Amino acid sequence: PNVDEGGDKDAAEARAVDRELEEAARRFVDATGDRAAILGSGDGRFECWIWPLQICRDLRLEFRPAGRATAIRGHDIASLVSVEPHRLILRYTHQDFTVDQEIFCARDRRVLIQRLWIDCQEPLDVAWSLIPTLNPMWPAGLGGQIMRRDTETGALILTEERGRFAAIMGTAEMSGALAIDRGFGADP
């Protein structure tokens, strides 16, 4: 068919952009250092590794604009992915806000860092959603894992019975209660 009307051309371009976004969401992305890695998909769902342990899986962001009853899942609004060897940036775009998430690995330390740049007119709550694992690389095992919230910093602390390994996840701006609705190793 002859596409000489602007509306048909705009619709075709929009479909092409939608296909590109769907392809990017399925694409494997990662940021790696010598001792840490974040691995996942272009829609913003990840697993975190601090050698030799998987710290968590199904790590993702959720957003709740002021006055909204339900959260907006980040993987539903991921719109841009930029990947470099040591870092990745995801953009989440919604009519009420734009959030850029940068995740990078320290080059020679066991550290993953996440930063958010938020552009919105109204207050916006941002929440992590994750399944803590604290599992060693296969085929090893640790035994019982322990999870708690640090009362002083609000950070999530993961450790195991013998005290050989621990992970801390948190932020200076972390507030609110720690809601745990899935245990270690539970399926989503």
Side-chain angles (χ1 to χ4, degrees):
N2 187 3
V3 180
D4 59 353
E5 296 296 319
D8 291 340
K9 185 176 181 182
D10 290 344
E13 288 174 359
R15 284 191 300 276
V17 167
D18 287 344
R19 279 192 300 277
E20 287 175 25
L21 290 175
E22 287 173 17
E23 200 172 292
R26 288 189 299 268
R27 187 176 113 194
F28 174 81
V29 296
D30 68 332
T32 59
D34 291 344
R35 296 176 165 218
I38 187 158
L39 315 168
S41 60
D43 66 0
R45 291 185 265 198
F46 300 102
E47 59 183 63
C48 297
W49 288 83
I50 305 289
W51 185 86
L53 301 171
Q54 180 190 43
I55 304 304
C56 67
R57 64 182 171 91
D58 204 21
L59 172 67
R60 61 187 186 271
L61 292 179
E62 296 178 350
F63 308 97
R64 188 180 314 243
R68 186 174 172 114
T70 58
I72 299 163
R73 299 179 305 186
H75 62 266
D76 290 335
I77 60 170
S79 62
L80 176 73
V81 180
S82 173
V83 180
E84 298 175 19
H86 67 287
R87 75 178 184 149
L88 58 95
I89 299 173
L90 281 87
R91 174 167 290 158
Y92 303 94
T93 306
H94 185 267
Q95 65 187 14
D96 297 328
F97 61 86
T98 300
V99 175
D100 286 343
Q101 175 187 27
E102 178 186 24
I103 304 171
F104 60 95
C105 298
R107 196 156 183 83
D108 58 354
R109 296 180 185 249
R110 293 178 181 161
V111 176
L112 290 168
I113 298 172
Q114 172 180 256
R115 294 191 293 193
L116 302 176
W117 285 271
I118 300 171
D119 181 19
C120 60
Q121 300 301 313
E122 300 294 325
L124 178 68
D125 288 333
V126 180
W128 279 344
S129 176
L130 60 93
I131 299 173
T133 54
L134 201 68
N135 288 328
M137 296 173 71
W138 183 88
L142 287 179
Q145 292 97 342
I146 301 164
M147 177 175 51
R148 68 178 175 85
R149 183 167 185 179
D150 182 67
T151 55
E152 187 175 326
T153 64
L156 175 65
I157 298 176
L158 307 174
T159 188
E160 43 84 30
E161 292 174 337
R162 296 177 131 188
R164 294 177 298 163
F165 299 102
I168 301 171
M169 293 184 280
T171 176
E173 288 89 25
M174 185 177 263
S175 64
L178 176 63
I180 304 168
D181 61 358
R182 295 183 252 191
F184 284 98
D187 289 328

